[in-house]
Amino acid sequence: MMKQVILSLILLLACLSCSKDDAVLERLDGVINDYQQYITQKEETLNDLKGKLREAKSEEERYNACMDLYRAYQDFSLDSALVYIKQSLELAEKLGEQERIIDTHLSLAFLYNYVGMHYEALEIFKEQDVTGRSDWLRRSHFYLGTNVYRNLSLYTVDKKQKDYYRQQMEICRDSAIAYAPDDVILRAERLEDQGKMQQAIELLSENLPDGLTTREAGLKYYILSEIYERLRVGASAGMKQRQHDNQIKYLAMSSIAGIRNAVREYIALRKLAVLLYEQGDIDRAYTYIHRCIDDAKACNARMRMVETSAFLSVIDSAVVKQKQDTRNAAIWAAVVIGLLLVLLAFVLIVLRRKMNMLQHSEKELMRVNNQVTDTNVQLRAANKQLKDTNMQLKQLNEQILESEEAQKVLNSQLSDANKIKEEYITRFMHLCLDYINKMENYRAHLNKVARKRNFDELYDTIQSTRYINKEVNDFYNSFDEAFLHIYPNFLRDFNVLLRPEAQVTLKKNERLNTELRIYALLKLGISDSTKVQEFLRCSSSTVYNYRTNMRNKAINRNTFEQDVLAIR
């Protein structure tokens, strides 16, 4: 029994190691999980077609609607497809167009061939005369013959009869290709039968990316899988595995295309399930074969049910055996785990004794550690006191440094204030002397005019503002000269605070304008708007507007005036 368990575990590990993280199989698993979604989409399409049939007003429209329903049901529900193709046949007879009647008979024969009624399909094929008909109808006729004779050759046991059917199939296929030379599938099948496998692969692989999921692509994938299956025969070990992997890949891709198009009558998924079973992927094989049998029942494809049932019992038995082996392995694993637990308990007892011995040593060690801890506590206390003292010294040093910095700033401000005071006192004294002289000259001028009793000139002179304006301009020029003498880089530093496009530009021979004088006064400590307007001989609103406009031009509006005060 132990040998059987070990063997089962080895086989299980081998199966797990052989399983491949194959992206196309994972994609197929996802499509199968979404199976109901594709069936729902198919049923919605069928309901739309049935609605068109109900709304059809003429025999022509009813015929076209019935044929569309036949094609939609052809690989979804064979019984429903049979109902609509027979209705189409009756309508074709009523319409009386011979080519349409032949086409409808051929469609019925295709359906008979699907359900396994090969001789009935052959009889319809032989009854149809397509001489002189259109190329597409002739191609359809011979394509039917190709499929019917192929199936007859596959299911007959008489070698002579098989060779005859095979010969007829090739004749029909050559005729179909003659009327449809661009039919890739027929040409690829002929190349395959002629042994030209590589040419057939190249032909089928043209314009066929791996993500294609149309029904035509699904058929091409299936033929490619058959080609790789034939290439496995007689190939070397390495090439045989490669051909085997390609066969699985294209069977999976064909199955994906079939399921996404809600095809229930197929072969690819069944063959894929058998291959996966042979390589040990029992779980996938079980899922795929049951999907096949369910679809065959839903489609009422009796021939597919018979073919699938032959493998269903084998795969089900393998799943049952796998589950039994897993259960047995689990039982023996539980026994082994129980023994390990007993061994673990024995080890724990031994360890417990060792732990008791260690506890005594730990107590002695703890006593020594306590003494060391007490010493460390005392050292930490001493270190803390030393740290506190260092911290106090550091704070005291920082306060001294701050005091020194504050003293430097104060000294600098006092120096600037003294410089300004000295400059303006000197200029004020010169200005006062100039005004005294000017007033004396003005008085002399008026006295001279008065002595001449020229009262009109005296009145005009008193009324004229020319003298006052000149004195005001002289005063502003003197102020500008004094301010720029103290702050020679004021205009340059002032413009640095403004946006490039808003910087102040002075006229020729102009030192300061009104806006600059406002901020010159601010720099000198005169921020009161009343004093500023008296100095500049303008209204308070004008001063306010000048200051607001200049702040709006500043790079940093919120700190603009503080930045002006910081100019040196």
Side-chain angles (χ1 to χ4, degrees):
M1 179 64 73
M2 180 62 74
K3 290 181 178 180
Q4 292 178 354
V5 172
I6 294 173
L7 182 60
S8 300
L9 290 172
I10 292 173
L11 290 174
L12 181 62
L13 291 173
C15 292
L16 291 173
S17 64
C18 290
S19 63
K20 297 180 179 179
D21 186 15
D22 195 336
V24 70
L25 291 178
E26 291 179 357
R27 185 179 172 194
L28 175 58
D29 294 338
V31 170
I32 290 176
N33 289 335
D34 297 334
Y35 174 82
Q36 191 55 48
Q37 170 187 339
Y38 304 119
I39 295 299
T40 301
Q41 293 173 358
K42 181 73 171 185
E43 290 172 346
E44 290 175 355
T45 302
L46 292 170
N47 289 332
D48 291 341
L49 293 175
K50 290 176 182 177
K52 291 182 181 179
L53 177 60
R54 288 192 297 269
E55 295 171 0
K57 297 179 181 179
S58 63
E59 299 292 337
E60 177 84 18
E61 291 178 353
R62 290 188 62 211
Y63 171 81
N64 292 332
C66 285
M67 286 299 292
D68 288 340
L69 281 164
Y70 153 73
R71 296 185 189 96
Y73 273 115
Q74 188 176 15
D75 47 21
F76 186 74
S77 175
L78 296 178
D79 290 343
S80 298
L82 185 60
V83 169
Y84 287 108
I85 191 60
K86 288 189 174 181
Q87 290 183 20
S88 300
L89 192 58
E90 293 176 3
L91 291 168
E93 295 287 350
K94 289 181 181 179
L95 292 170
E97 185 180 337
Q98 192 60 33
E99 188 155 317
R100 183 178 303 184
I101 294 172
I102 295 173
D103 179 47
T104 311
H105 277 95
L106 294 177
S107 298
L108 176 61
F110 271 112
L111 187 62
Y112 281 163
N113 191 49
Y114 273 141
V115 300
M117 300 169 63
H118 306 308
Y119 290 103
E120 291 82 352
L122 181 61
E123 183 178 353
I124 294 175
F125 167 74
K126 291 180 178 180
E127 289 175 353
Q128 307 309 309
D129 183 8
V130 294
T131 305
R133 300 297 174 185
S134 62
D135 287 351
W136 71 265
L137 187 61
R138 293 184 180 185
R139 181 265 180 198
S140 180
H141 178 256
F142 288 112
Y143 186 66
L144 170 65
T146 302
N147 284 277
V148 172
Y149 281 120
R150 178 189 291 112
N151 287 335
L152 288 172
S153 68
L154 290 174
Y155 294 108
T156 186
V157 295
D158 186 288
K159 185 177 182 307
K160 183 177 179 180
Q161 196 69 19
K162 183 185 289 289
D163 292 341
Y164 169 74
Y165 288 145
R166 189 74 184 175
Q167 182 182 11
Q168 292 300 314
M169 180 202 74
E170 292 175 355
I171 293 172
C172 288
R173 184 170 59 198
D174 290 342
S175 299
I177 293 174
Y179 291 111
D182 295 331
D183 194 315
V184 174
I185 293 174
L186 287 174
R187 289 164 56 201
E189 288 179 343
R190 184 168 65 180
L191 290 171
E192 179 187 357
D193 290 340
Q194 293 172 352
K196 301 176 181 179
M197 304 299 181
Q198 193 58 42
Q199 294 181 30
I201 292 172
E202 292 174 358
L203 181 62
L204 289 169
S205 300
E206 292 178 1
N207 302 321
L208 190 63
D210 290 347
L212 213 57
T213 54
T214 61
R215 291 178 62 182
E216 181 184 1
L219 182 56
K220 290 181 179 180
Y221 291 141
Y222 180 73
I223 297 173
L224 281 169
S225 71
E226 287 188 321
I227 293 173
Y228 283 112
E229 181 180 12
R230 291 182 61 179
L231 287 173
R232 287 172 57 192
V233 180
S236 61
M239 288 301 298
K240 184 175 292 187
Q241 182 60 44
R242 185 178 301 176
Q243 311 301 0
H244 179 266
D245 292 342
N246 284 329
Q247 183 186 3
I248 289 179
K249 170 187 172 183
Y250 285 110
L251 283 173
M253 293 171 70
S254 178
S255 301
I256 291 171
I259 293 173
R260 292 191 63 173
N261 288 282
V263 174
R264 286 172 167 169
E265 204 280 338
Y266 50 72
I267 306 174
L269 190 61
R270 172 178 59 81
K271 294 183 71 173
L272 178 60
V274 174
L275 288 176
L276 293 177
Y277 165 76
E278 291 174 352
Q279 74 175 25
D281 195 346
I282 305 299
D283 292 336
R284 274 201 175 103
Y286 178 83
T287 301
Y288 294 171
I289 203 71
H290 276 272
R291 180 74 273 154
C292 291
I293 198 68
D294 291 343
D295 280 343
K297 289 178 181 177
C299 186
N300 199 21
R302 296 178 180 84
M303 187 168 63
R304 297 289 178 248
M305 284 190 281
V306 172
E307 293 171 349
T308 306
S309 298
F311 299 98
L312 181 64
S313 59
V314 176
I315 295 176
D316 283 347
S317 299
V319 171
V320 171
K321 183 178 182 304
Q322 184 186 49
K323 290 180 178 179
Q324 185 63 41
D325 292 342
T326 304
R327 189 181 297 111
N328 292 337
I331 292 171
W332 279 102
V335 172
V336 172
I337 291 172
L339 294 174
L340 291 174
L341 288 174
V342 172
L343 179 61
L344 180 60
F346 175 75
V347 172
L348 289 174
I349 292 171
V350 174
L351 289 175
R352 181 62 181 172
R353 291 180 179 177
K354 296 290 184 182
M355 289 295 294
N356 290 334
M357 295 173 63
L358 288 172
Q359 283 178 356
H360 178 71
S361 299
E362 287 178 355
K363 288 180 181 179
E364 184 64 23
L365 182 61
M366 187 178 296
R367 185 182 64 79
V368 176
N369 286 337
N370 289 335
Q371 293 177 354
V372 174
T373 302
D374 293 339
T375 304
N376 288 334
V377 169
Q378 294 173 0
L379 287 173
R380 280 198 296 269
N383 287 333
K384 185 176 183 301
Q385 292 178 355
L386 182 60
K387 184 178 180 181
D388 293 340
T389 303
N390 289 333
M391 184 62 68
Q392 293 173 359
L393 289 173
K394 183 179 179 181
Q395 291 175 353
L396 182 59
N397 288 332
E398 290 177 351
Q399 292 174 358
I400 292 173
L401 289 174
E402 290 176 357
S403 299
E404 291 177 352
E405 289 294 329
Q407 186 65 37
K408 288 180 180 178
V409 172
L410 182 58
N411 291 337
S412 176
Q413 292 175 350
L414 289 174
S415 176
D416 291 343
N418 289 332
K419 180 181 178 183
I420 294 169
K421 181 176 69 175
E422 291 172 0
E423 180 71 25
Y424 272 92
I425 287 173
T426 303
R427 289 187 176 270
F428 176 74
M429 291 173 66
H430 286 295
L431 187 62
C432 288
L433 290 173
D434 288 341
Y435 276 133
I436 291 171
N437 293 329
K438 289 178 180 179
M439 290 297 294
E440 181 61 28
N441 293 332
Y442 188 60
R443 185 193 64 77
H445 174 71
L446 292 177
N447 187 37
K448 181 179 180 181
V449 172
R451 281 200 306 268
K452 292 180 180 181
R453 294 185 174 272
N454 191 351
F455 295 109
D456 290 336
E457 182 180 355
L458 178 63
Y459 180 77
D460 290 340
T461 302
I462 293 171
Q463 288 294 109
S464 175
T465 61
R466 181 180 59 187
Y467 179 78
I468 298 301
N469 291 337
K470 179 178 180 303
E471 294 303 322
V472 168
N473 289 331
D474 290 343
F475 172 74
Y476 286 156
N477 289 333
S478 178
F479 172 79
D480 295 346
E481 182 181 357
F483 183 80
L484 292 176
H485 180 73
I486 299 170
Y487 300 104
N489 297 322
F490 179 77
L491 178 59
R492 183 197 65 188
D493 296 342
F494 188 84
N495 277 331
V496 170
L497 302 177
L498 303 178
R499 297 193 303 275
E501 72 276 6
Q503 292 183 354
V504 177
T505 303
L506 297 177
K507 299 178 182 178
K508 186 177 180 180
N509 298 325
E510 187 179 30
R511 296 184 177 183
L512 296 177
N513 57 21
T514 303
E515 291 174 327
L516 291 174
R517 289 190 187 107
I518 291 173
Y519 285 95
L521 292 172
L522 179 66
K523 176 65 181 170
L524 295 174
I526 303 174
S527 60
D528 185 16
S529 296
T530 302
K531 293 181 179 180
V532 172
Q533 74 183 54
E534 290 175 355
F535 183 86
L536 297 177
R537 301 170 63 83
C538 62
S539 64
S540 59
S541 61
T542 301
V543 174
Y544 174 78
N545 290 334
Y546 275 138
R547 292 178 71 172
T548 302
N549 290 335
M550 193 58 69
R551 281 198 299 270
N552 291 334
K553 296 177 182 179
I555 295 174
N556 191 338
R557 186 180 187 280
N558 295 329
T559 63
F560 175 63
E561 294 190 351
Q562 289 82 356
D563 295 337
V564 172
L565 292 174
I567 293 176
R568 294 297 177 188

